[in-house]
Amino acid sequence: MLEQTLRPVLLRAAARNNADWCEAMCRAHGLRGEFRADAWSSPTRTPPYYPDAVTLTEHVDTGDLLARVDIRTPGATLKDSFAALDLHQHGWTPLFDATWIARASQPAAGTRWRRVRTEAELQDWERAWDGGVRELFRPSLLEDPSVLLLAAPGLDTGAVLSLGAGVVGVSNLFTADGVDPDRAWGECVAAAAAFCPGLTLVGYEHGPDLAVAERAGFTPLGPLRVWLRD
């Protein structure tokens, strides 16, 4: 269990870590975002499933932030990391709400997960993550020292671990049909201990996945909201 006093610090670290991961994904697609004190943002539409901005503090000048993202074409999204903004008056609607989570590292005791190393392995990993997606995860991610794409033999479980802000972010966790999600989360925690020893795990989840993460030892830190520009 995480100490209560650590939770606000870890919430900010989780938001920054997530922004770092979004920037890494943009770099893989030949794009560059911008970090400022209040938020990370991209002036060009980001890859699918990735926001055009991630707030890093509750105190944001909404007009200034929205001027930094592309709202000329539909589909812009913004990750309000503290669920602190009201964007309705600017033509945005809530897409979903979620909860930041964190878990202390556990002692490394081995893992069956392995790092994806080749382009062929990356293609197989991407199909296992989402069979309808192609070339979202680019080969340059394999050379990014801040990103680890991991999976078990047979690709029945896997996830992305991303380094940044002194923590390790967990995202894109997947399980094959019929695999117990509790097992997948347990394996992810073990893999993080093996590949990123001593680092606190952070991420966000909602719905049934949040309950599974809590059973794996994660503690809720606070709410977030993702907004969509109609």
Side-chain angles (χ1 to χ4, degrees):
M1 182 66 66
L2 296 171
E3 294 182 18
Q4 188 72 29
T5 55
L6 288 178
R7 296 182 190 181
V9 176
L10 287 173
L11 193 157
R12 282 171 165 70
R16 173 61 195 230
N17 175 277
N18 187 260
D20 288 340
W21 165 228
C22 293
E23 173 69 8
M25 179 60 83
C26 284
R27 286 197 305 269
H29 285 255
L31 306 174
R32 282 284 182 176
E34 177 189 18
F35 283 95
R36 295 190 189 179
D38 61 343
W40 169 87
S41 60
S42 172
T44 306
R45 183 55 38 80
T46 50
Y49 308 111
Y50 288 83
D52 296 272
V54 179
T55 63
L56 303 176
T57 175
E58 304 96 321
H59 309 293
V60 175
D61 183 318
T62 302
D64 181 67
L65 176 58
L66 296 183
R68 294 181 237 159
V69 302
D70 176 12
I71 59 173
R72 295 168 298 178
T73 54
T77 56
L78 185 150
K79 185 171 290 174
D80 175 8
S81 299
F82 301 86
L85 304 180
D86 182 359
L87 302 184
H88 290 98
Q89 62 182 321
H90 299 280
W92 298 66
T93 57
L95 184 60
F96 67 85
D97 290 341
T99 300
W100 292 110
I101 55 175
R103 187 195 193 283
S105 175
Q106 69 177 27
T111 176
R112 73 188 190 104
W113 283 17
R114 297 293 179 264
R115 190 169 183 177
V116 174
R117 295 290 189 183
T118 69
E119 291 189 31
E121 290 174 347
L122 178 62
Q123 292 172 1
D124 291 340
W125 185 96
E126 188 175 60
R127 281 192 293 270
W129 173 70
D130 186 326
V133 170
R134 293 290 184 274
E135 298 184 352
L136 174 61
F137 293 86
R138 300 291 176 84
S140 60
L141 287 171
L142 303 178
E143 306 301 324
D144 190 326
S146 71
V147 177
L148 296 86
L149 290 95
L150 304 174
L155 296 171
D156 60 348
T157 55
V160 173
L161 300 182
S162 55
L163 301 172
V167 294
V168 55
V170 177
S171 63
N172 304 90
L173 189 145
F174 66 85
T175 62
D177 291 342
V179 174
D180 182 2
D182 288 281
R183 190 191 97 187
W185 275 93
E187 291 183 347
C188 183
V189 171
F195 286 94
C196 310
L199 292 182
T200 299
L201 285 69
V202 298
Y204 69 88
E205 292 295 344
H206 61 99
D209 290 331
L210 176 59
V212 179
E214 289 187 74
R215 289 198 297 271
F218 284 81
T219 297
L221 300 176
L224 68 95
R225 172 169 290 170
V226 174
W227 295 83
L228 171 67
R229 170 78 174 183
D230 291 335

